[in-house]
PDB file of all heavy atoms in Angstrom:
ATOM      1  N   ALA A   1      -6.861   8.424   0.786  1.00  0.00           N
ATOM      2  CA  ALA A   1      -6.559   7.668  -0.414  1.00  0.00           C
ATOM      3  C   ALA A   1      -6.410   6.163  -0.026  1.00  0.00           C
ATOM      4  O   ALA A   1      -5.721   5.773   0.830  1.00  0.00           O
ATOM      5  CB  ALA A   1      -5.250   8.065  -1.009  1.00  0.00           C
ATOM      6  N   ILE A   2      -7.144   5.317  -0.764  1.00  0.00           N
ATOM      7  CA  ILE A   2      -6.983   3.877  -0.740  1.00  0.00           C
ATOM      8  C   ILE A   2      -6.077   3.339  -1.806  1.00  0.00           C
ATOM      9  O   ILE A   2      -6.436   3.497  -3.045  1.00  0.00           O
ATOM     10  CB  ILE A   2      -8.372   3.180  -0.749  1.00  0.00           C
ATOM     11  CG1 ILE A   2      -9.316   3.752   0.260  1.00  0.00           C
ATOM     12  CG2 ILE A   2      -8.284   1.684  -0.543  1.00  0.00           C
ATOM     13  CD1 ILE A   2     -10.743   3.271   0.091  1.00  0.00           C
ATOM     14  N   LEU A   3      -5.038   2.801  -1.468  1.00  0.00           N
ATOM     15  CA  LEU A   3      -4.140   2.188  -2.426  1.00  0.00           C
ATOM     16  C   LEU A   3      -4.838   0.914  -3.006  1.00  0.00           C
ATOM     17  O   LEU A   3      -5.200  -0.094  -2.325  1.00  0.00           O
ATOM     18  CB  LEU A   3      -2.849   1.789  -1.941  1.00  0.00           C
ATOM     19  CG  LEU A   3      -1.800   0.921  -2.779  1.00  0.00           C
ATOM     20  CD1 LEU A   3      -1.456   1.758  -4.093  1.00  0.00           C
ATOM     21  CD2 LEU A   3      -0.503   0.642  -2.110  1.00  0.00           C
ATOM     22  N   ILE A   4      -5.086   0.944  -4.354  1.00  0.00           N
ATOM     23  CA  ILE A   4      -5.798  -0.197  -5.053  1.00  0.00           C
ATOM     24  C   ILE A   4      -4.816  -1.394  -5.262  1.00  0.00           C
ATOM     25  O   ILE A   4      -3.709  -1.143  -5.825  1.00  0.00           O
ATOM     26  CB  ILE A   4      -6.488   0.231  -6.287  1.00  0.00           C
ATOM     27  CG1 ILE A   4      -7.539   1.292  -6.037  1.00  0.00           C
ATOM     28  CG2 ILE A   4      -6.945  -0.974  -7.046  1.00  0.00           C
ATOM     29  CD1 ILE A   4      -8.065   2.022  -7.273  1.00  0.00           C
ATOM     30  N   ASN A   5      -5.246  -2.531  -4.829  1.00  0.00           N
ATOM     31  CA  ASN A   5      -4.300  -3.717  -5.055  1.00  0.00           C
ATOM     32  C   ASN A   5      -4.145  -3.883  -6.645  1.00  0.00           C
ATOM     33  O   ASN A   5      -5.115  -4.088  -7.365  1.00  0.00           O
ATOM     34  CB  ASN A   5      -5.081  -4.883  -4.471  1.00  0.00           C
ATOM     35  CG  ASN A   5      -4.059  -6.154  -4.397  1.00  0.00           C
ATOM     36  OD1 ASN A   5      -3.165  -6.289  -5.211  1.00  0.00           O
ATOM     37  ND2 ASN A   5      -4.298  -7.018  -3.437  1.00  0.00           N
ATOM     38  N   PRO A   6      -2.932  -3.871  -7.062  1.00  0.00           N
ATOM     39  CA  PRO A   6      -2.608  -3.970  -8.571  1.00  0.00           C
ATOM     40  C   PRO A   6      -3.222  -5.314  -9.084  1.00  0.00           C
ATOM     41  O   PRO A   6      -3.406  -5.439 -10.260  1.00  0.00           O
ATOM     42  CB  PRO A   6      -1.139  -3.925  -8.493  1.00  0.00           C
ATOM     43  CG  PRO A   6      -0.703  -3.302  -7.420  1.00  0.00           C
ATOM     44  CD  PRO A   6      -1.607  -3.604  -6.285  1.00  0.00           C
ATOM     45  N   LYS A   7      -3.322  -6.329  -8.189  1.00  0.00           N
ATOM     46  CA  LYS A   7      -3.888  -7.680  -8.736  1.00  0.00           C
ATOM     47  C   LYS A   7      -5.267  -7.566  -9.195  1.00  0.00           C
ATOM     48  O   LYS A   7      -5.762  -8.363  -9.977  1.00  0.00           O
ATOM     49  CB  LYS A   7      -3.731  -8.690  -7.643  1.00  0.00           C
ATOM     50  CG  LYS A   7      -2.284  -9.096  -7.218  1.00  0.00           C
ATOM     51  CD  LYS A   7      -2.441 -10.183  -6.082  1.00  0.00           C
ATOM     52  CE  LYS A   7      -0.990 -10.578  -5.727  1.00  0.00           C
ATOM     53  NZ  LYS A   7      -0.885 -11.552  -4.727  1.00  0.00           N
ATOM     54  N   HIS A   8      -6.023  -6.499  -8.749  1.00  0.00           N
ATOM     55  CA  HIS A   8      -7.418  -6.275  -9.224  1.00  0.00           C
ATOM     56  C   HIS A   8      -7.458  -5.933 -10.717  1.00  0.00           C
ATOM     57  O   HIS A   8      -8.378  -6.235 -11.449  1.00  0.00           O
ATOM     58  CB  HIS A   8      -8.087  -5.191  -8.417  1.00  0.00           C
ATOM     59  CG  HIS A   8      -8.711  -5.672  -7.176  1.00  0.00           C
ATOM     60  ND1 HIS A   8      -7.968  -6.321  -6.216  1.00  0.00           N
ATOM     61  CD2 HIS A   8     -10.045  -5.699  -6.861  1.00  0.00           C
ATOM     62  CE1 HIS A   8      -8.838  -6.681  -5.249  1.00  0.00           C
ATOM     63  NE2 HIS A   8     -10.047  -6.317  -5.533  1.00  0.00           N
ATOM     64  N   TYR A   9      -6.383  -5.360 -11.241  1.00  0.00           N
ATOM     65  CA  TYR A   9      -6.352  -4.936 -12.625  1.00  0.00           C
ATOM     66  C   TYR A   9      -6.082  -6.234 -13.488  1.00  0.00           C
ATOM     67  O   TYR A   9      -6.330  -6.216 -14.738  1.00  0.00           O
ATOM     68  CB  TYR A   9      -5.309  -3.962 -12.897  1.00  0.00           C
ATOM     69  CG  TYR A   9      -5.749  -2.573 -12.372  1.00  0.00           C
ATOM     70  CD1 TYR A   9      -5.503  -2.104 -11.184  1.00  0.00           C
ATOM     71  CD2 TYR A   9      -6.465  -1.710 -13.208  1.00  0.00           C
ATOM     72  CE1 TYR A   9      -5.931  -0.908 -10.672  1.00  0.00           C
ATOM     73  CE2 TYR A   9      -6.926  -0.446 -12.713  1.00  0.00           C
ATOM     74  CZ  TYR A   9      -6.579  -0.085 -11.526  1.00  0.00           C
ATOM     75  OH  TYR A   9      -7.120   1.118 -11.009  1.00  0.00           O
ATOM     76  N   LEU A  10      -5.544  -7.339 -12.865  1.00  0.00           N
ATOM     77  CA  LEU A  10      -5.380  -8.614 -13.584  1.00  0.00           C
ATOM     78  C   LEU A  10      -6.656  -9.359 -13.526  1.00  0.00           C
ATOM     79  O   LEU A  10      -7.053 -10.101 -14.419  1.00  0.00           O
ATOM     80  CB  LEU A  10      -4.184  -9.370 -12.998  1.00  0.00           C
ATOM     81  CG  LEU A  10      -2.834  -8.712 -13.143  1.00  0.00           C
ATOM     82  CD1 LEU A  10      -1.813  -9.592 -12.387  1.00  0.00           C
ATOM     83  CD2 LEU A  10      -2.402  -8.556 -14.551  1.00  0.00           C
ATOM     84  N   THR A  11      -7.371  -9.186 -12.337  1.00  0.00           N
ATOM     85  CA  THR A  11      -8.582 -10.010 -12.098  1.00  0.00           C
ATOM     86  C   THR A  11      -9.777  -9.518 -13.007  1.00  0.00           C
ATOM     87  O   THR A  11     -10.493 -10.368 -13.582  1.00  0.00           O
ATOM     88  CB  THR A  11      -8.932  -9.927 -10.586  1.00  0.00           C
ATOM     89  OG1 THR A  11      -7.874 -10.376  -9.817  1.00  0.00           O
ATOM     90  CG2 THR A  11     -10.279 -10.777 -10.330  1.00  0.00           C
ATOM     91  N   TYR A  12      -9.873  -8.212 -13.070  1.00  0.00           N
ATOM     92  CA  TYR A  12     -11.109  -7.562 -13.696  1.00  0.00           C
ATOM     93  C   TYR A  12     -10.788  -6.995 -14.996  1.00  0.00           C
ATOM     94  O   TYR A  12     -11.748  -6.478 -15.703  1.00  0.00           O
ATOM     95  CB  TYR A  12     -11.810  -6.720 -12.748  1.00  0.00           C
ATOM     96  CG  TYR A  12     -12.241  -7.235 -11.412  1.00  0.00           C
ATOM     97  CD1 TYR A  12     -11.664  -6.717 -10.136  1.00  0.00           C
ATOM     98  CD2 TYR A  12     -12.986  -8.491 -11.350  1.00  0.00           C
ATOM     99  CE1 TYR A  12     -11.980  -7.356  -8.967  1.00  0.00           C
ATOM    100  CE2 TYR A  12     -13.322  -9.063 -10.112  1.00  0.00           C
ATOM    101  CZ  TYR A  12     -12.875  -8.362  -8.979  1.00  0.00           C
ATOM    102  OH  TYR A  12     -13.217  -9.008  -7.780  1.00  0.00           O
ATOM    103  N   ASN A  13      -9.522  -6.844 -15.336  1.00  0.00           N
ATOM    104  CA  ASN A  13      -9.168  -6.258 -16.632  1.00  0.00           C
ATOM    105  C   ASN A  13      -9.762  -4.760 -16.839  1.00  0.00           C
ATOM    106  O   ASN A  13      -9.728  -4.011 -15.930  1.00  0.00           O
ATOM    107  CB  ASN A  13      -9.496  -7.140 -17.784  1.00  0.00           C
ATOM    108  CG  ASN A  13      -8.757  -8.500 -17.665  1.00  0.00           C
ATOM    109  OD1 ASN A  13      -7.573  -8.471 -17.504  1.00  0.00           O
ATOM    110  ND2 ASN A  13      -9.519  -9.584 -17.602  1.00  0.00           N
ATOM    111  N   LYS A  14     -10.344  -4.596 -17.973  1.00  0.00           N
ATOM    112  CA  LYS A  14     -10.881  -3.251 -18.263  1.00  0.00           C
ATOM    113  C   LYS A  14     -12.083  -2.808 -17.368  1.00  0.00           C
ATOM    114  O   LYS A  14     -12.479  -1.632 -17.335  1.00  0.00           O
ATOM    115  CB  LYS A  14     -11.223  -3.149 -19.784  1.00  0.00           C
ATOM    116  CG  LYS A  14     -12.514  -4.065 -20.114  1.00  0.00           C
ATOM    117  CD  LYS A  14     -12.813  -3.993 -21.629  1.00  0.00           C
ATOM    118  CE  LYS A  14     -13.951  -4.842 -21.967  1.00  0.00           C
ATOM    119  NZ  LYS A  14     -14.347  -4.644 -23.418  1.00  0.00           N
ATOM    120  N   ASN A  15     -12.681  -3.789 -16.693  1.00  0.00           N
ATOM    121  CA  ASN A  15     -13.835  -3.421 -15.833  1.00  0.00           C
ATOM    122  C   ASN A  15     -13.484  -3.161 -14.421  1.00  0.00           C
ATOM    123  O   ASN A  15     -14.302  -2.793 -13.598  1.00  0.00           O
ATOM    124  CB  ASN A  15     -14.855  -4.651 -15.682  1.00  0.00           C
ATOM    125  CG  ASN A  15     -15.331  -4.881 -17.163  1.00  0.00           C
ATOM    126  OD1 ASN A  15     -14.751  -5.703 -17.877  1.00  0.00           O
ATOM    127  ND2 ASN A  15     -16.530  -4.397 -17.439  1.00  0.00           N
ATOM    128  N   THR A  16     -12.130  -3.145 -14.039  1.00  0.00           N
ATOM    129  CA  THR A  16     -11.669  -2.996 -12.699  1.00  0.00           C
ATOM    130  C   THR A  16     -12.156  -1.808 -12.052  1.00  0.00           C
ATOM    131  O   THR A  16     -12.703  -1.852 -10.964  1.00  0.00           O
ATOM    132  CB  THR A  16     -10.087  -2.958 -12.673  1.00  0.00           C
ATOM    133  OG1 THR A  16      -9.597  -4.251 -13.214  1.00  0.00           O
ATOM    134  CG2 THR A  16      -9.571  -2.781 -11.205  1.00  0.00           C
ATOM    135  N   GLU A  17     -12.003  -0.597 -12.674  1.00  0.00           N
ATOM    136  CA  GLU A  17     -12.434   0.634 -11.977  1.00  0.00           C
ATOM    137  C   GLU A  17     -13.937   0.756 -11.806  1.00  0.00           C
ATOM    138  O   GLU A  17     -14.406   1.305 -10.779  1.00  0.00           O
ATOM    139  CB  GLU A  17     -11.812   1.880 -12.654  1.00  0.00           C
ATOM    140  CG  GLU A  17     -10.248   1.786 -12.685  1.00  0.00           C
ATOM    141  CD  GLU A  17      -9.584   2.983 -13.209  1.00  0.00           C
ATOM    142  OE1 GLU A  17     -10.291   3.926 -13.684  1.00  0.00           O
ATOM    143  OE2 GLU A  17      -8.334   3.060 -13.184  1.00  0.00           O
ATOM    144  N   ILE A  18     -14.682   0.174 -12.724  1.00  0.00           N
ATOM    145  CA  ILE A  18     -16.117   0.210 -12.659  1.00  0.00           C
ATOM    146  C   ILE A  18     -16.483  -0.726 -11.344  1.00  0.00           C
ATOM    147  O   ILE A  18     -17.385  -0.177 -10.586  1.00  0.00           O
ATOM    148  CB  ILE A  18     -16.792  -0.321 -13.858  1.00  0.00           C
ATOM    149  CG1 ILE A  18     -16.535   0.513 -15.104  1.00  0.00           C
ATOM    150  CG2 ILE A  18     -18.313  -0.606 -13.656  1.00  0.00           C
ATOM    151  CD1 ILE A  18     -16.964  -0.069 -16.384  1.00  0.00           C
ATOM    152  N   ILE A  19     -15.870  -1.825 -11.218  1.00  0.00           N
ATOM    153  CA  ILE A  19     -16.185  -2.561 -10.110  1.00  0.00           C
ATOM    154  C   ILE A  19     -15.748  -1.988  -8.814  1.00  0.00           C
ATOM    155  O   ILE A  19     -16.409  -2.068  -7.758  1.00  0.00           O
ATOM    156  CB  ILE A  19     -15.509  -4.028 -10.304  1.00  0.00           C
ATOM    157  CG1 ILE A  19     -16.213  -4.748 -11.456  1.00  0.00           C
ATOM    158  CG2 ILE A  19     -15.526  -4.899  -9.047  1.00  0.00           C
ATOM    159  CD1 ILE A  19     -15.511  -6.035 -11.920  1.00  0.00           C
ATOM    160  N   ILE A  20     -14.555  -1.407  -8.757  1.00  0.00           N
ATOM    161  CA  ILE A  20     -14.043  -0.749  -7.531  1.00  0.00           C
ATOM    162  C   ILE A  20     -15.120   0.386  -7.072  1.00  0.00           C
ATOM    163  O   ILE A  20     -15.373   0.599  -5.963  1.00  0.00           O
ATOM    164  CB  ILE A  20     -12.715  -0.161  -7.774  1.00  0.00           C
ATOM    165  CG1 ILE A  20     -11.664  -1.377  -7.762  1.00  0.00           C
ATOM    166  CG2 ILE A  20     -12.341   0.815  -6.655  1.00  0.00           C
ATOM    167  CD1 ILE A  20     -10.323  -1.005  -8.153  1.00  0.00           C
ATOM    168  N   ASN A  21     -15.416   1.226  -8.056  1.00  0.00           N
ATOM    169  CA  ASN A  21     -16.340   2.211  -7.766  1.00  0.00           C
ATOM    170  C   ASN A  21     -17.721   1.762  -7.244  1.00  0.00           C
ATOM    171  O   ASN A  21     -18.313   2.266  -6.296  1.00  0.00           O
ATOM    172  CB  ASN A  21     -16.699   3.129  -9.033  1.00  0.00           C
ATOM    173  CG  ASN A  21     -15.566   4.157  -9.274  1.00  0.00           C
ATOM    174  OD1 ASN A  21     -15.239   4.902  -8.344  1.00  0.00           O
ATOM    175  ND2 ASN A  21     -15.074   4.316 -10.516  1.00  0.00           N
ATOM    176  N   SER A  22     -18.158   0.614  -7.822  1.00  0.00           N
ATOM    177  CA  SER A  22     -19.469  -0.003  -7.344  1.00  0.00           C
ATOM    178  C   SER A  22     -19.305  -0.576  -5.954  1.00  0.00           C
ATOM    179  O   SER A  22     -20.223  -0.263  -5.075  1.00  0.00           O
ATOM    180  CB  SER A  22     -19.871  -1.126  -8.280  1.00  0.00           C
ATOM    181  OG  SER A  22     -20.136  -0.568  -9.607  1.00  0.00           O
ATOM    182  N   GLU A  23     -18.239  -1.143  -5.623  1.00  0.00           N
ATOM    183  CA  GLU A  23     -18.021  -1.632  -4.261  1.00  0.00           C
ATOM    184  C   GLU A  23     -18.034  -0.549  -3.227  1.00  0.00           C
ATOM    185  O   GLU A  23     -18.661  -0.635  -2.088  1.00  0.00           O
ATOM    186  CB  GLU A  23     -16.843  -2.536  -4.127  1.00  0.00           C
ATOM    187  CG  GLU A  23     -16.618  -3.127  -2.736  1.00  0.00           C
ATOM    188  CD  GLU A  23     -15.321  -3.992  -2.610  1.00  0.00           C
ATOM    189  OE1 GLU A  23     -14.572  -4.139  -3.573  1.00  0.00           O
ATOM    190  OE2 GLU A  23     -15.170  -4.493  -1.398  1.00  0.00           O
ATOM    191  N   PHE A  24     -17.241   0.490  -3.532  1.00  0.00           N
ATOM    192  CA  PHE A  24     -17.138   1.626  -2.596  1.00  0.00           C
ATOM    193  C   PHE A  24     -18.476   2.296  -2.508  1.00  0.00           C
ATOM    194  O   PHE A  24     -18.861   2.763  -1.367  1.00  0.00           O
ATOM    195  CB  PHE A  24     -16.105   2.552  -2.993  1.00  0.00           C
ATOM    196  CG  PHE A  24     -15.724   3.669  -2.001  1.00  0.00           C
ATOM    197  CD1 PHE A  24     -14.919   3.450  -0.950  1.00  0.00           C
ATOM    198  CD2 PHE A  24     -16.389   4.938  -2.178  1.00  0.00           C
ATOM    199  CE1 PHE A  24     -14.666   4.432  -0.003  1.00  0.00           C
ATOM    200  CE2 PHE A  24     -16.059   5.935  -1.224  1.00  0.00           C
ATOM    201  CZ  PHE A  24     -15.304   5.674  -0.120  1.00  0.00           C
ATOM    202  N   ASN A  25     -19.253   2.406  -3.571  1.00  0.00           N
ATOM    203  CA  ASN A  25     -20.516   3.049  -3.565  1.00  0.00           C
ATOM    204  C   ASN A  25     -21.433   2.386  -2.675  1.00  0.00           C
ATOM    205  O   ASN A  25     -22.304   3.028  -1.956  1.00  0.00           O
ATOM    206  CB  ASN A  25     -21.048   3.233  -4.996  1.00  0.00           C
ATOM    207  CG  ASN A  25     -22.163   4.192  -5.017  1.00  0.00           C
ATOM    208  OD1 ASN A  25     -22.064   5.270  -4.492  1.00  0.00           O
ATOM    209  ND2 ASN A  25     -23.103   3.835  -5.800  1.00  0.00           N
ATOM    210  N   VAL A  26     -21.450   1.000  -2.629  1.00  0.00           N
ATOM    211  CA  VAL A  26     -22.327   0.281  -1.766  1.00  0.00           C
ATOM    212  C   VAL A  26     -21.951   0.526  -0.293  1.00  0.00           C
ATOM    213  O   VAL A  26     -22.852   0.816   0.565  1.00  0.00           O
ATOM    214  CB  VAL A  26     -22.268  -1.195  -2.034  1.00  0.00           C
ATOM    215  CG1 VAL A  26     -23.087  -2.016  -1.004  1.00  0.00           C
ATOM    216  CG2 VAL A  26     -22.802  -1.527  -3.454  1.00  0.00           C
ATOM    217  N   LEU A  27     -20.719   0.540   0.105  1.00  0.00           N
ATOM    218  CA  LEU A  27     -20.359   0.960   1.415  1.00  0.00           C
ATOM    219  C   LEU A  27     -20.662   2.393   1.744  1.00  0.00           C
ATOM    220  O   LEU A  27     -21.159   2.666   2.872  1.00  0.00           O
ATOM    221  CB  LEU A  27     -18.733   0.867   1.532  1.00  0.00           C
ATOM    222  CG  LEU A  27     -18.136   1.138   2.752  1.00  0.00           C
ATOM    223  CD1 LEU A  27     -18.564   0.245   3.975  1.00  0.00           C
ATOM    224  CD2 LEU A  27     -16.621   1.128   2.709  1.00  0.00           C
ATOM    225  N   ASN A  28     -20.535   3.287   0.724  1.00  0.00           N
ATOM    226  CA  ASN A  28     -20.754   4.704   0.900  1.00  0.00           C
ATOM    227  C   ASN A  28     -22.252   4.891   1.261  1.00  0.00           C
ATOM    228  O   ASN A  28     -22.624   5.754   2.151  1.00  0.00           O
ATOM    229  CB  ASN A  28     -20.313   5.378  -0.327  1.00  0.00           C
ATOM    230  CG  ASN A  28     -20.467   7.015  -0.114  1.00  0.00           C
ATOM    231  OD1 ASN A  28     -20.154   7.471   1.025  1.00  0.00           O
ATOM    232  ND2 ASN A  28     -20.832   7.644  -1.153  1.00  0.00           N
ATOM    233  N   LYS A  29     -23.118   4.134   0.569  1.00  0.00           N
ATOM    234  CA  LYS A  29     -24.554   4.384   0.755  1.00  0.00           C
ATOM    235  C   LYS A  29     -24.983   3.824   2.064  1.00  0.00           C
ATOM    236  O   LYS A  29     -25.870   4.434   2.723  1.00  0.00           O
ATOM    237  CB  LYS A  29     -25.325   3.604  -0.388  1.00  0.00           C
ATOM    238  CG  LYS A  29     -25.298   4.299  -1.731  1.00  0.00           C
ATOM    239  CD  LYS A  29     -26.273   3.587  -2.718  1.00  0.00           C
ATOM    240  CE  LYS A  29     -26.423   4.275  -3.983  1.00  0.00           C
ATOM    241  NZ  LYS A  29     -27.341   3.697  -4.940  1.00  0.00           N
ATOM    242  N   LYS A  30     -24.320   2.856   2.624  1.00  0.00           N
ATOM    243  CA  LYS A  30     -24.758   2.403   4.027  1.00  0.00           C
ATOM    244  C   LYS A  30     -24.277   3.315   5.029  1.00  0.00           C
ATOM    245  O   LYS A  30     -25.044   3.558   6.036  1.00  0.00           O
ATOM    246  CB  LYS A  30     -24.009   0.989   4.194  1.00  0.00           C
ATOM    247  CG  LYS A  30     -24.349   0.377   5.516  1.00  0.00           C
ATOM    248  CD  LYS A  30     -23.977  -1.013   5.771  1.00  0.00           C
ATOM    249  CE  LYS A  30     -24.421  -1.647   7.066  1.00  0.00           C
ATOM    250  NZ  LYS A  30     -24.025  -3.026   7.216  1.00  0.00           N
TER     251      LYS A  30
END
């Protein structure tokens, strides 16, 4: 489990989890 920085929910608002999934997916694909 990766603890998600709560500040990301202030930075990206309703798009936070989409952005987090996308970043992890790029790492996962590599």
Side-chain angles (χ1 to χ4, degrees):
I2 304 170
L3 174 59
I4 297 170
N5 192 329
K7 291 182 179 179
H8 273 60
Y9 286 88
L10 298 175
T11 302
Y12 304 123
N13 300 306
K14 65 180 181 179
N15 299 86
T16 298
E17 295 187 0
I18 295 172
I19 290 171
I20 286 170
N21 277 313
S22 293
E23 183 182 0
F24 188 81
N25 196 41
V26 173
L27 176 67
N28 188 38
K29 283 187 174 183
K30 181 171 184 176

